[in-house]
Amino acid sequence: MFVLRDRVDTSSIDAHACPNTRPPAGRPQEVPITTPIADASWKYSEEFVTEDEVLLAARARADEVGVSAVSNGTGATLRFLAAILDARTAVEIGTGTGVSGLWILRGMRQDGVLTTVDIEAEHQRLAKQTFREAGVPAQRARTISGAALDVLPRLTDGHYDLVFVDGDKRENSAYLSEALRLLRPGGVVAFTDSLLGDRVADPAQRDGETMAVRELVRLVAENDDLVPVMLPVGDGLLVAKKEWAGEA
């Protein structure tokens, strides 16, 4: 169940019809709008864009090596973002076995290049297998093995259309700083697992990982150079567009 809160001006509501709802004069009230989503509808939405045999095989390899791959809905959203950006260049933090990378590549231009970073060389070997099975030319997927915060500073400023982050949640704020440097104006950054199984929305949850994601959400929401949205796909996808200089 998702609870959305919208500010609704109730100052003009008829007091006789609703005698207990009149707010102080000129002061809008927050009215909760509850929109439950049934499990069947959620599953239907997540699987609206289906995965082919290559993606299913990559997902099976992820299970074998203990990697948490993005959901169908998250992958389809990443492909959509790459497509509407007409992305020529993208960076991925957290290669895994190539599930999210293949979704991104399928949304990019035919000459687009994905740079994907992972500290586990074995994961990248499996991702390369995924890309080969999908018929992706080798030059379109540049894999770099190493810690993301060591690799990212070597990438070119303002050169990338899309940055996707699926790494250590405790490093998200640092990844955001790097993404803002790497993105061209008009580019997009996306962070997966931004709801953390309902932990982020629960103030009683105070573990380090949850607090780090909350801090990321705050930084994105308060950055005047970003246009953010939280999408309820997978376990939450936080997306933000980097504004063009001078945009309102």
Side-chain angles (χ1 to χ4, degrees):
M1 176 180 291
F2 296 94
V3 178
L4 310 178
R5 293 191 178 275
D6 195 7
R7 289 193 175 274
V8 178
D9 187 355
T10 57
S11 58
S12 61
I13 295 176
D14 187 334
H16 297 289
C18 304
N20 298 318
T21 58
R22 183 183 292 277
R27 181 179 175 184
Q29 283 188 328
E30 282 194 353
V31 178
I33 303 172
T34 305
T35 56
I37 300 177
D39 289 345
S41 293
W42 177 261
K43 185 174 186 295
Y44 180 84
S45 174
E46 275 288 316
E47 298 177 357
F48 172 67
V49 180
T50 58
E51 293 186 322
D52 62 11
E53 291 182 0
V54 176
L55 281 166
L56 291 174
R59 191 175 293 283
R61 287 190 286 269
D63 290 340
E64 291 173 2
V65 297
V67 170
S68 179
V70 299
S71 72
N72 286 41
T74 300
T77 303
L78 292 172
R79 184 182 67 172
F80 178 79
L81 290 172
I84 62 172
L85 289 165
D86 196 26
R88 186 189 298 271
T89 52
V91 173
E92 177 184 49
I93 299 169
T95 307
T97 59
V99 175
S100 53
L102 184 55
W103 276 110
I104 293 170
L105 281 162
R106 286 177 168 174
M108 297 177 73
R109 298 164 55 110
Q110 290 300 309
D111 59 348
V113 176
L114 171 70
T115 299
T116 180
V117 182
D118 201 298
I119 200 167
E120 296 289 345
E122 174 62 10
H123 294 172
Q124 292 197 321
R125 184 188 70 79
L126 295 173
K128 288 178 182 178
Q129 179 181 344
T130 296
F131 300 151
R132 284 196 303 271
E133 291 175 356
V136 176
Q139 67 271 20
R140 290 197 59 208
R142 180 172 64 150
T143 58
I144 303 177
S145 181
L149 293 179
D150 293 334
V151 174
L152 297 177
R154 305 202 301 266
L155 303 182
T156 305
D157 292 9
H159 180 67
Y160 296 90
D161 302 301
L162 175 65
V163 175
F164 171 60
V165 181
D166 187 10
D168 186 340
K169 303 299 180 283
R170 293 174 177 81
E171 295 181 343
N172 270 348
S173 294
Y175 295 149
L176 175 63
S177 296
E178 288 296 324
L180 293 178
R181 179 184 61 80
L182 293 171
L183 285 171
R184 64 166 175 82
V188 168
V189 60
F191 290 83
T192 193
D193 299 328
S194 294
L195 295 175
L196 278 182
D198 297 326
R199 284 154 51 194
V200 174
D202 181 359
Q205 302 297 320
R206 307 286 294 177
D207 62 278
E209 190 175 61
T210 301
M211 295 296 288
V213 176
R214 281 201 195 107
E215 175 65 7
L216 169 73
V217 172
R218 183 190 67 81
L219 289 172
V220 169
E222 294 180 357
N223 191 320
D224 291 336
D225 294 326
L226 294 174
V227 180
V229 64
M230 179 75 77
L231 301 176
V233 295
D235 197 14
L237 188 68
L238 177 63
V239 180
K241 174 198 170 191
K242 180 179 177 180
E243 289 278 54
W244 289 91
E247 274 192 348

